[in-house]
Amino acid sequence: MAQRLEELDTTVKREMARDKEIKRRILIAGFLLHDFEKFQYDLFPGMPEKYIDINKNPDQDIRKLSIAEHQEIFRVMVPLLGLDKLINPEKTESWVEYLEDLLFIAYNTQKRNDTNLNLSESGLNPKLGDRSLICLSNLTLLADLLSSIIKHPQDAENSSLHNIIHQLSDGKLELSYHSIAENRGVLTNIVNNAVMAAYQNINTEEEIYYQPLLYLPTGVIYLIQKNSPPISESDLPELVVSKIKELCAKQLRLRKTGFGRDGKGMKYADYYNLFFDTVGLIEVALEATLIILHSNKESKAKSRSDNLVKFQQQQILSADYNFRFDDDLRIDRIAEFGDVLTRNIWGEVVNNIDKARKQNKDLPELLANL
């Protein structure tokens, strides 16, 4: 009995998933067809001549034709557009079962006087239920409004958008936006991203209060839960600065601009300290070392070996180590990276610690063996 119930539960879940998927496919196909009168009918092989003539005549309206005539048009268009394969890839001819569902969505995507929401009066006999069809047509209407109305963030206040989202979400969701007064190119893009991050930082694992929906040149439109908490405007300046640093660091890591090598070893521009912490700078320095000392570079390792041996003979270095080695580019890389790491990167850390200790005498001294 338990096994039978488990099999039944699996079957139900499978059927629910299939039903959800077919509705999603009908939604997409319906949206693609919702302006069916605007297609150029003479490009469709097999389209009856009378519809081509009406389509070319600006004084006639394809939408004023009967349902039977619209069905005839869809029977030509759907297979040629490949929507039969979208609706059911495994059994393409079965799309005809949803012909009147597609018509219903196409009729009702645009809120006009000739819509057919009343199935009992329209003469349509769709396969999907009334509630599902109305929901699908509302979704296609929303998509149509978003594509045709949204040009500025303030368009989120459009009453048509508000009403349709209210219906689709049972009054739980609405649109909101942030807008930027002036478009300053890259800077505007950075500010946009920072403000968007401020809104998304309010979200939790349990609740998504702000979901970015449309990214526009001077703002972002969000789908939000009603009564969502507001952002803290005092945090925005720091977020903007953080975004600028993030963008600059990404470009510096990509290009390694400011890294070079002269007779005194590897060096980098001071501005790297503005955009990287110590660990990040070490990583970039390693990448730059491998690029500058590429495989075609001539090794100077033997010269380094001779100097080290000389220091041993002068008892400056311990005699316990063997510093004799031949030319090997790997040794040059280790030497150059070790130099920039200890002399430049760690040296800057030590300088910052010394400055901090001068301002605060209670800070401990650096350990000598560091």
Side-chain angles (χ1 to χ4, degrees), residues 201-243:
N201 287 343
I202 296 175
N203 297 337
T204 65
E205 291 185 3
E206 295 76 24
E207 294 288 348
I208 303 296
Y209 294 106
Y210 293 90
Q211 178 64 52
L213 188 63
L214 289 170
Y215 193 100
L216 302 168
T218 56
V220 175
I221 293 177
Y222 307 88
L223 184 65
I224 73 168
Q225 293 189 38
K226 282 197 171 180
N227 303 317
S228 293
I231 64 171
S232 171
E233 295 184 5
S234 61
D235 295 337
L236 289 180
E238 185 59 37
L239 280 170
V240 171
V241 171
S242 176
K243 286 292 179 183

mmCIF file of all heavy atoms in Angstrom, residues 201-243:
data_model
loop_
_atom_site.group_PDB
_atom_site.id
_atom_site.type_symbol
_atom_site.label_atom_id
_atom_site.label_comp_id
_atom_site.label_asym_id
_atom_site.label_seq_id
_atom_site.Cartn_x
_atom_site.Cartn_y
_atom_site.Cartn_z
ATOM 1 N N ASN A 201 21.058 44.457 -0.652
ATOM 2 C CA ASN A 201 21.608 44.128 0.660
ATOM 3 C C ASN A 201 20.521 43.972 1.723
ATOM 4 O O ASN A 201 20.754 43.379 2.779
ATOM 5 C CB ASN A 201 22.602 45.213 1.105
ATOM 6 C CG ASN A 201 23.906 45.155 0.334
ATOM 7 O OD1 ASN A 201 24.217 44.149 -0.298
ATOM 8 N ND2 ASN A 201 24.674 46.234 0.362
ATOM 9 N N ILE A 202 19.351 44.510 1.442
ATOM 10 C CA ILE A 202 18.227 44.373 2.372
ATOM 11 C C ILE A 202 17.645 42.961 2.320
ATOM 12 O O ILE A 202 17.082 42.463 3.295
ATOM 13 C CB ILE A 202 17.138 45.425 2.063
ATOM 14 C CG1 ILE A 202 17.697 46.831 2.289
ATOM 15 C CG2 ILE A 202 15.879 45.212 2.900
ATOM 16 C CD1 ILE A 202 16.752 47.943 1.913
ATOM 17 N N ASN A 203 17.806 42.299 1.166
ATOM 18 C CA ASN A 203 17.269 40.945 1.015
ATOM 19 C C ASN A 203 17.922 39.979 1.997
ATOM 20 O O ASN A 203 19.074 40.159 2.391
ATOM 21 C CB ASN A 203 17.489 40.441 -0.414
ATOM 22 C CG ASN A 203 16.757 41.271 -1.453
ATOM 23 O OD1 ASN A 203 15.773 41.937 -1.144
ATOM 24 N ND2 ASN A 203 17.222 41.230 -2.681
ATOM 25 N N THR A 204 17.177 38.976 2.370
ATOM 26 C CA THR A 204 17.696 37.919 3.248
ATOM 27 C C THR A 204 17.502 36.577 2.553
ATOM 28 O O THR A 204 16.900 36.494 1.487
ATOM 29 C CB THR A 204 16.951 37.910 4.596
ATOM 30 O OG1 THR A 204 15.566 37.562 4.371
ATOM 31 C CG2 THR A 204 17.019 39.289 5.267
ATOM 32 N N GLU A 205 18.019 35.526 3.160
ATOM 33 C CA GLU A 205 17.815 34.188 2.598
ATOM 34 C C GLU A 205 16.333 33.814 2.607
ATOM 35 O O GLU A 205 15.867 33.073 1.746
ATOM 36 C CB GLU A 205 18.620 33.160 3.388
ATOM 37 C CG GLU A 205 20.122 33.294 3.214
ATOM 38 C CD GLU A 205 20.875 32.186 3.920
ATOM 39 O OE1 GLU A 205 20.202 31.286 4.485
ATOM 40 O OE2 GLU A 205 22.126 32.208 3.903
ATOM 41 N N GLU A 206 15.613 34.348 3.579
ATOM 42 C CA GLU A 206 14.188 34.009 3.699
ATOM 43 C C GLU A 206 13.295 34.907 2.835
ATOM 44 O O GLU A 206 12.251 34.462 2.341
ATOM 45 C CB GLU A 206 13.730 34.125 5.157
ATOM 46 C CG GLU A 206 14.375 33.138 6.123
ATOM 47 C CD GLU A 206 15.810 33.514 6.483
ATOM 48 O OE1 GLU A 206 16.140 34.715 6.369
ATOM 49 O OE2 GLU A 206 16.578 32.606 6.853
ATOM 50 N N GLU A 207 13.690 36.167 2.652
ATOM 51 C CA GLU A 207 12.830 37.133 1.963
ATOM 52 C C GLU A 207 13.611 37.910 0.898
ATOM 53 O O GLU A 207 14.683 38.440 1.171
ATOM 54 C CB GLU A 207 12.243 38.141 2.965
ATOM 55 C CG GLU A 207 11.281 37.533 3.975
ATOM 56 C CD GLU A 207 9.947 37.138 3.368
ATOM 57 O OE1 GLU A 207 9.667 37.538 2.212
ATOM 58 O OE2 GLU A 207 9.199 36.428 4.040
ATOM 59 N N ILE A 208 13.072 37.931 -0.320
ATOM 60 C CA ILE A 208 13.608 38.780 -1.385
ATOM 61 C C ILE A 208 12.689 39.995 -1.475
ATOM 62 O O ILE A 208 11.609 39.938 -2.047
ATOM 63 C CB ILE A 208 13.656 38.045 -2.742
ATOM 64 C CG1 ILE A 208 14.479 36.758 -2.625
ATOM 65 C CG2 ILE A 208 14.231 38.959 -3.825
ATOM 66 C CD1 ILE A 208 15.934 36.997 -2.291
ATOM 67 N N TYR A 209 13.122 41.094 -0.874
ATOM 68 C CA TYR A 209 12.305 42.301 -0.872
ATOM 69 C C TYR A 209 12.420 43.070 -2.183
ATOM 70 O O TYR A 209 11.437 43.598 -2.693
ATOM 71 C CB TYR A 209 12.718 43.218 0.290
ATOM 72 C CG TYR A 209 12.438 42.646 1.658
ATOM 73 C CD1 TYR A 209 13.476 42.156 2.449
ATOM 74 C CD2 TYR A 209 11.140 42.585 2.152
ATOM 75 C CE1 TYR A 209 13.227 41.625 3.722
ATOM 76 C CE2 TYR A 209 10.877 42.067 3.415
ATOM 77 C CZ TYR A 209 11.927 41.589 4.191
ATOM 78 O OH TYR A 209 11.672 41.067 5.441
ATOM 79 N N TYR A 210 13.634 43.142 -2.708
ATOM 80 C CA TYR A 210 13.888 43.917 -3.930
ATOM 81 C C TYR A 210 14.532 43.016 -4.983
ATOM 82 O O TYR A 210 15.614 42.470 -4.756
ATOM 83 C CB TYR A 210 14.814 45.103 -3.646
ATOM 84 C CG TYR A 210 14.199 46.157 -2.761
ATOM 85 C CD1 TYR A 210 14.334 46.091 -1.369
ATOM 86 C CD2 TYR A 210 13.489 47.225 -3.302
ATOM 87 C CE1 TYR A 210 13.773 47.053 -0.548
ATOM 88 C CE2 TYR A 210 12.929 48.194 -2.485
ATOM 89 C CZ TYR A 210 13.071 48.107 -1.113
ATOM 90 O OH TYR A 210 12.515 49.056 -0.308
ATOM 91 N N GLN A 211 13.866 42.874 -6.117
ATOM 92 C CA GLN A 211 14.403 42.088 -7.226
ATOM 93 C C GLN A 211 14.580 43.006 -8.434
ATOM 94 O O GLN A 211 13.600 43.466 -9.019
ATOM 95 C CB GLN A 211 13.443 40.948 -7.599
ATOM 96 C CG GLN A 211 13.904 40.101 -8.770
ATOM 97 C CD GLN A 211 15.183 39.360 -8.473
ATOM 98 O OE1 GLN A 211 15.296 38.675 -7.465
ATOM 99 N NE2 GLN A 211 16.177 39.503 -9.340
ATOM 100 N N PRO A 212 15.834 43.326 -8.824
ATOM 101 C CA PRO A 212 16.022 44.171 -10.012
ATOM 102 C C PRO A 212 15.353 43.548 -11.231
ATOM 103 O O PRO A 212 15.553 42.367 -11.522
ATOM 104 C CB PRO A 212 17.547 44.206 -10.171
ATOM 105 C CG PRO A 212 18.085 43.900 -8.819
ATOM 106 C CD PRO A 212 17.112 42.941 -8.197
ATOM 107 N N LEU A 213 14.565 44.346 -11.906
ATOM 108 C CA LEU A 213 13.790 43.836 -13.040
ATOM 109 C C LEU A 213 14.286 44.406 -14.361
ATOM 110 O O LEU A 213 14.468 43.678 -15.330
ATOM 111 C CB LEU A 213 12.305 44.186 -12.847
ATOM 112 C CG LEU A 213 11.310 43.577 -13.832
ATOM 113 C CD1 LEU A 213 11.306 42.061 -13.707
ATOM 114 C CD2 LEU A 213 9.912 44.129 -13.572
ATOM 115 N N LEU A 214 14.524 45.718 -14.390
ATOM 116 C CA LEU A 214 14.974 46.370 -15.615
ATOM 117 C C LEU A 214 16.093 47.360 -15.284
ATOM 118 O O LEU A 214 15.928 48.219 -14.418
ATOM 119 C CB LEU A 214 13.820 47.115 -16.294
ATOM 120 C CG LEU A 214 12.747 46.250 -16.945
ATOM 121 C CD1 LEU A 214 11.563 47.102 -17.351
ATOM 122 C CD2 LEU A 214 13.296 45.528 -18.157
ATOM 123 N N TYR A 215 17.210 47.210 -15.974
ATOM 124 C CA TYR A 215 18.358 48.096 -15.781
ATOM 125 C C TYR A 215 18.333 49.131 -16.902
ATOM 126 O O TYR A 215 18.437 48.790 -18.067
ATOM 127 C CB TYR A 215 19.647 47.279 -15.825
ATOM 128 C CG TYR A 215 20.866 48.017 -15.333
ATOM 129 C CD1 TYR A 215 21.340 47.809 -14.047
ATOM 130 C CD2 TYR A 215 21.538 48.908 -16.153
ATOM 131 C CE1 TYR A 215 22.462 48.475 -13.580
ATOM 132 C CE2 TYR A 215 22.664 49.581 -15.702
ATOM 133 C CZ TYR A 215 23.122 49.355 -14.420
ATOM 134 O OH TYR A 215 24.232 50.026 -13.961
ATOM 135 N N LEU A 216 18.186 50.395 -16.546
ATOM 136 C CA LEU A 216 18.071 51.481 -17.511
ATOM 137 C C LEU A 216 19.259 52.432 -17.375
ATOM 138 O O LEU A 216 19.948 52.433 -16.351
ATOM 139 C CB LEU A 216 16.752 52.218 -17.297
ATOM 140 C CG LEU A 216 15.499 51.326 -17.416
ATOM 141 C CD1 LEU A 216 14.282 52.056 -16.907
ATOM 142 C CD2 LEU A 216 15.300 50.883 -18.836
ATOM 143 N N PRO A 217 19.525 53.277 -18.381
ATOM 144 C CA PRO A 217 20.697 54.164 -18.337
ATOM 145 C C PRO A 217 20.743 55.089 -17.126
ATOM 146 O O PRO A 217 21.823 55.430 -16.655
ATOM 147 C CB PRO A 217 20.578 54.964 -19.633
ATOM 148 C CG PRO A 217 19.807 54.081 -20.550
ATOM 149 C CD PRO A 217 18.834 53.357 -19.682
ATOM 150 N N THR A 218 19.575 55.493 -16.628
ATOM 151 C CA THR A 218 19.564 56.424 -15.493
ATOM 152 C C THR A 218 18.784 55.870 -14.297
ATOM 153 O O THR A 218 18.209 56.637 -13.523
ATOM 154 C CB THR A 218 18.963 57.776 -15.906
ATOM 155 O OG1 THR A 218 17.653 57.567 -16.456
ATOM 156 C CG2 THR A 218 19.826 58.468 -16.936
ATOM 157 N N GLY A 219 18.792 54.587 -14.135
ATOM 158 C CA GLY A 219 18.100 54.032 -12.976
ATOM 159 C C GLY A 219 17.801 52.558 -13.135
ATOM 160 O O GLY A 219 18.150 51.929 -14.142
ATOM 161 N N VAL A 220 17.152 52.005 -12.135
ATOM 162 C CA VAL A 220 16.791 50.591 -12.125
ATOM 163 C C VAL A 220 15.359 50.463 -11.620
ATOM 164 O O VAL A 220 14.952 51.160 -10.690
ATOM 165 C CB VAL A 220 17.744 49.766 -11.224
ATOM 166 C CG1 VAL A 220 17.293 48.319 -11.127
ATOM 167 C CG2 VAL A 220 19.175 49.847 -11.744
ATOM 168 N N ILE A 221 14.601 49.572 -12.240
ATOM 169 C CA ILE A 221 13.234 49.276 -11.801
ATOM 170 C C ILE A 221 13.248 47.932 -11.082
ATOM 171 O O ILE A 221 13.868 46.976 -11.548
ATOM 172 C CB ILE A 221 12.270 49.257 -12.988
ATOM 173 C CG1 ILE A 221 12.148 50.666 -13.581
ATOM 174 C CG2 ILE A 221 10.890 48.748 -12.575
ATOM 175 C CD1 ILE A 221 11.281 50.747 -14.816
ATOM 176 N N TYR A 222 12.582 47.875 -9.939
ATOM 177 C CA TYR A 222 12.570 46.679 -9.099
ATOM 178 C C TYR A 222 11.152 46.129 -8.974
ATOM 179 O O TYR A 222 10.174 46.889 -8.938
ATOM 180 C CB TYR A 222 13.074 46.994 -7.686
ATOM 181 C CG TYR A 222 14.412 47.666 -7.635
ATOM 182 C CD1 TYR A 222 14.514 49.059 -7.697
ATOM 183 C CD2 TYR A 222 15.583 46.933 -7.503
ATOM 184 C CE1 TYR A 222 15.740 49.698 -7.650
ATOM 185 C CE2 TYR A 222 16.825 47.568 -7.447
ATOM 186 C CZ TYR A 222 16.888 48.951 -7.520
ATOM 187 O OH TYR A 222 18.101 49.565 -7.463
ATOM 188 N N LEU A 223 11.082 44.821 -8.880
ATOM 189 C CA LEU A 223 9.853 44.171 -8.444
ATOM 190 C C LEU A 223 10.004 43.958 -6.947
ATOM 191 O O LEU A 223 10.964 43.318 -6.504
ATOM 192 C CB LEU A 223 9.663 42.835 -9.161
ATOM 193 C CG LEU A 223 8.366 42.076 -8.869
ATOM 194 C CD1 LEU A 223 7.166 42.863 -9.390
ATOM 195 C CD2 LEU A 223 8.396 40.688 -9.492
ATOM 196 N N ILE A 224 9.094 44.523 -6.148
ATOM 197 C CA ILE A 224 9.286 44.501 -4.697
ATOM 198 C C ILE A 224 8.041 43.990 -3.982
ATOM 199 O O ILE A 224 6.930 44.029 -4.520
ATOM 200 C CB ILE A 224 9.639 45.904 -4.162
ATOM 201 C CG1 ILE A 224 8.401 46.819 -4.177
ATOM 202 C CG2 ILE A 224 10.761 46.527 -4.962
ATOM 203 C CD1 ILE A 224 8.600 48.117 -3.413
ATOM 204 N N GLN A 225 8.271 43.499 -2.793
ATOM 205 C CA GLN A 225 7.153 43.181 -1.913
ATOM 206 C C GLN A 225 6.599 44.480 -1.332
ATOM 207 O O GLN A 225 7.360 45.405 -1.030
ATOM 208 C CB GLN A 225 7.610 42.278 -0.775
ATOM 209 C CG GLN A 225 8.046 40.895 -1.197
ATOM 210 C CD GLN A 225 8.270 39.999 -0.007
ATOM 211 O OE1 GLN A 225 7.533 40.059 0.985
ATOM 212 N NE2 GLN A 225 9.274 39.147 -0.084
ATOM 213 N N LYS A 226 5.302 44.530 -1.187
ATOM 214 C CA LYS A 226 4.708 45.722 -0.582
ATOM 215 C C LYS A 226 5.220 45.885 0.850
ATOM 216 O O LYS A 226 5.445 44.917 1.567
ATOM 217 C CB LYS A 226 3.186 45.628 -0.598
ATOM 218 C CG LYS A 226 2.592 45.948 -1.966
ATOM 219 C CD LYS A 226 1.121 46.255 -1.874
ATOM 220 C CE LYS A 226 0.609 46.781 -3.209
ATOM 221 N NZ LYS A 226 -0.833 47.108 -3.164
ATOM 222 N N ASN A 227 5.411 47.135 1.234
ATOM 223 C CA ASN A 227 5.888 47.482 2.579
ATOM 224 C C ASN A 227 7.304 46.965 2.847
ATOM 225 O O ASN A 227 7.655 46.633 3.984
ATOM 226 C CB ASN A 227 4.919 46.939 3.649
ATOM 227 C CG ASN A 227 3.505 47.449 3.444
ATOM 228 O OD1 ASN A 227 3.294 48.617 3.163
ATOM 229 N ND2 ASN A 227 2.528 46.547 3.582
ATOM 230 N N SER A 228 8.123 46.894 1.787
ATOM 231 C CA SER A 228 9.529 46.500 1.977
ATOM 232 C C SER A 228 10.277 47.597 2.726
ATOM 233 O O SER A 228 9.989 48.780 2.557
ATOM 234 C CB SER A 228 10.192 46.258 0.615
ATOM 235 O OG SER A 228 9.638 45.138 -0.017
ATOM 236 N N PRO A 229 11.263 47.229 3.549
ATOM 237 C CA PRO A 229 12.025 48.250 4.290
ATOM 238 C C PRO A 229 12.825 49.120 3.335
ATOM 239 O O PRO A 229 13.328 48.631 2.315
ATOM 240 C CB PRO A 229 12.945 47.408 5.191
ATOM 241 C CG PRO A 229 13.013 46.069 4.535
ATOM 242 C CD PRO A 229 11.698 45.853 3.873
ATOM 243 N N PRO A 230 12.995 50.408 3.643
ATOM 244 C CA PRO A 230 13.755 51.309 2.770
ATOM 245 C C PRO A 230 15.261 51.114 2.957
ATOM 246 O O PRO A 230 15.716 50.539 3.947
ATOM 247 C CB PRO A 230 13.324 52.697 3.236
ATOM 248 C CG PRO A 230 12.987 52.496 4.689
ATOM 249 C CD PRO A 230 12.404 51.110 4.802
ATOM 250 N N ILE A 231 16.036 51.630 2.009
ATOM 251 C CA ILE A 231 17.489 51.579 2.141
ATOM 252 C C ILE A 231 17.966 52.740 3.007
ATOM 253 O O ILE A 231 17.242 53.709 3.216
ATOM 254 C CB ILE A 231 18.194 51.651 0.763
ATOM 255 C CG1 ILE A 231 17.906 53.005 0.085
ATOM 256 C CG2 ILE A 231 17.797 50.502 -0.110
ATOM 257 C CD1 ILE A 231 18.734 53.230 -1.156
ATOM 258 N N SER A 232 19.185 52.609 3.516
ATOM 259 C CA SER A 232 19.798 53.691 4.293
ATOM 260 C C SER A 232 20.615 54.566 3.337
ATOM 261 O O SER A 232 21.619 54.121 2.789
ATOM 262 C CB SER A 232 20.703 53.116 5.388
ATOM 263 O OG SER A 232 21.445 54.140 6.003
ATOM 264 N N GLU A 233 20.173 55.790 3.130
ATOM 265 C CA GLU A 233 20.862 56.683 2.197
ATOM 266 C C GLU A 233 22.259 57.056 2.693
ATOM 267 O O GLU A 233 23.137 57.394 1.891
ATOM 268 C CB GLU A 233 20.030 57.941 1.971
ATOM 269 C CG GLU A 233 18.700 57.661 1.273
ATOM 270 C CD GLU A 233 17.918 58.933 0.976
ATOM 271 O OE1 GLU A 233 18.470 60.028 1.225
ATOM 272 O OE2 GLU A 233 16.770 58.827 0.503
ATOM 273 N N SER A 234 22.485 56.987 3.965
ATOM 274 C CA SER A 234 23.800 57.348 4.511
ATOM 275 C C SER A 234 24.881 56.359 4.070
ATOM 276 O O SER A 234 26.075 56.679 4.098
ATOM 277 C CB SER A 234 23.737 57.408 6.038
ATOM 278 O OG SER A 234 23.388 56.138 6.577
ATOM 279 N N ASP A 235 24.480 55.138 3.680
ATOM 280 C CA ASP A 235 25.455 54.130 3.261
ATOM 281 C C ASP A 235 25.847 54.274 1.791
ATOM 282 O O ASP A 235 26.829 53.657 1.353
ATOM 283 C CB ASP A 235 24.878 52.719 3.468
ATOM 284 C CG ASP A 235 24.650 52.400 4.937
ATOM 285 O OD1 ASP A 235 25.308 53.038 5.776
ATOM 286 O OD2 ASP A 235 23.807 51.529 5.237
ATOM 287 N N LEU A 236 25.092 55.068 1.028
ATOM 288 C CA LEU A 236 25.309 55.128 -0.416
ATOM 289 C C LEU A 236 26.685 55.662 -0.817
ATOM 290 O O LEU A 236 27.326 55.099 -1.712
ATOM 291 C CB LEU A 236 24.209 55.959 -1.079
ATOM 292 C CG LEU A 236 22.820 55.299 -1.099
ATOM 293 C CD1 LEU A 236 21.818 56.217 -1.784
ATOM 294 C CD2 LEU A 236 22.869 53.961 -1.808
ATOM 295 N N PRO A 237 27.180 56.762 -0.211
ATOM 296 C CA PRO A 237 28.506 57.251 -0.630
ATOM 297 C C PRO A 237 29.597 56.189 -0.516
ATOM 298 O O PRO A 237 30.419 56.038 -1.424
ATOM 299 C CB PRO A 237 28.755 58.430 0.320
ATOM 300 C CG PRO A 237 27.389 58.903 0.693
ATOM 301 C CD PRO A 237 26.554 57.663 0.776
ATOM 302 N N GLU A 238 29.597 55.441 0.592
ATOM 303 C CA GLU A 238 30.619 54.416 0.782
ATOM 304 C C GLU A 238 30.448 53.287 -0.236
ATOM 305 O O GLU A 238 31.434 52.722 -0.734
ATOM 306 C CB GLU A 238 30.540 53.860 2.202
ATOM 307 C CG GLU A 238 31.641 52.858 2.543
ATOM 308 C CD GLU A 238 33.037 53.450 2.395
ATOM 309 O OE1 GLU A 238 33.220 54.640 2.707
ATOM 310 O OE2 GLU A 238 33.939 52.714 1.956
ATOM 311 N N LEU A 239 29.200 52.961 -0.560
ATOM 312 C CA LEU A 239 28.950 51.924 -1.562
ATOM 313 C C LEU A 239 29.444 52.354 -2.939
ATOM 314 O O LEU A 239 29.989 51.554 -3.699
ATOM 315 C CB LEU A 239 27.455 51.597 -1.619
ATOM 316 C CG LEU A 239 26.917 50.658 -0.548
ATOM 317 C CD1 LEU A 239 25.394 50.627 -0.585
ATOM 318 C CD2 LEU A 239 27.469 49.253 -0.734
ATOM 319 N N VAL A 240 29.230 53.631 -3.280
ATOM 320 C CA VAL A 240 29.696 54.150 -4.571
ATOM 321 C C VAL A 240 31.227 54.068 -4.642
ATOM 322 O O VAL A 240 31.790 53.612 -5.642
ATOM 323 C CB VAL A 240 29.221 55.599 -4.794
ATOM 324 C CG1 VAL A 240 29.885 56.194 -6.034
ATOM 325 C CG2 VAL A 240 27.701 55.645 -4.945
ATOM 326 N N VAL A 241 31.889 54.510 -3.574
ATOM 327 C CA VAL A 241 33.357 54.450 -3.538
ATOM 328 C C VAL A 241 33.826 53.002 -3.656
ATOM 329 O O VAL A 241 34.787 52.697 -4.373
ATOM 330 C CB VAL A 241 33.892 55.083 -2.237
ATOM 331 C CG1 VAL A 241 35.387 54.827 -2.094
ATOM 332 C CG2 VAL A 241 33.604 56.579 -2.218
ATOM 333 N N SER A 242 33.128 52.104 -2.973
ATOM 334 C CA SER A 242 33.488 50.687 -3.022
ATOM 335 C C SER A 242 33.345 50.129 -4.433
ATOM 336 O O SER A 242 34.194 49.357 -4.903
ATOM 337 C CB SER A 242 32.603 49.896 -2.049
ATOM 338 O OG SER A 242 32.862 48.513 -2.130
ATOM 339 N N LYS A 243 32.282 50.537 -5.137
ATOM 340 C CA LYS A 243 32.080 50.086 -6.511
ATOM 341 C C LYS A 243 33.162 50.620 -7.443
ATOM 342 O O LYS A 243 33.620 49.928 -8.357
ATOM 343 C CB LYS A 243 30.696 50.505 -7.014
ATOM 344 C CG LYS A 243 29.544 49.699 -6.448
ATOM 345 C CD LYS A 243 29.586 48.270 -6.961
ATOM 346 C CE LYS A 243 28.451 47.437 -6.379
ATOM 347 N NZ LYS A 243 28.526 46.025 -6.831
#
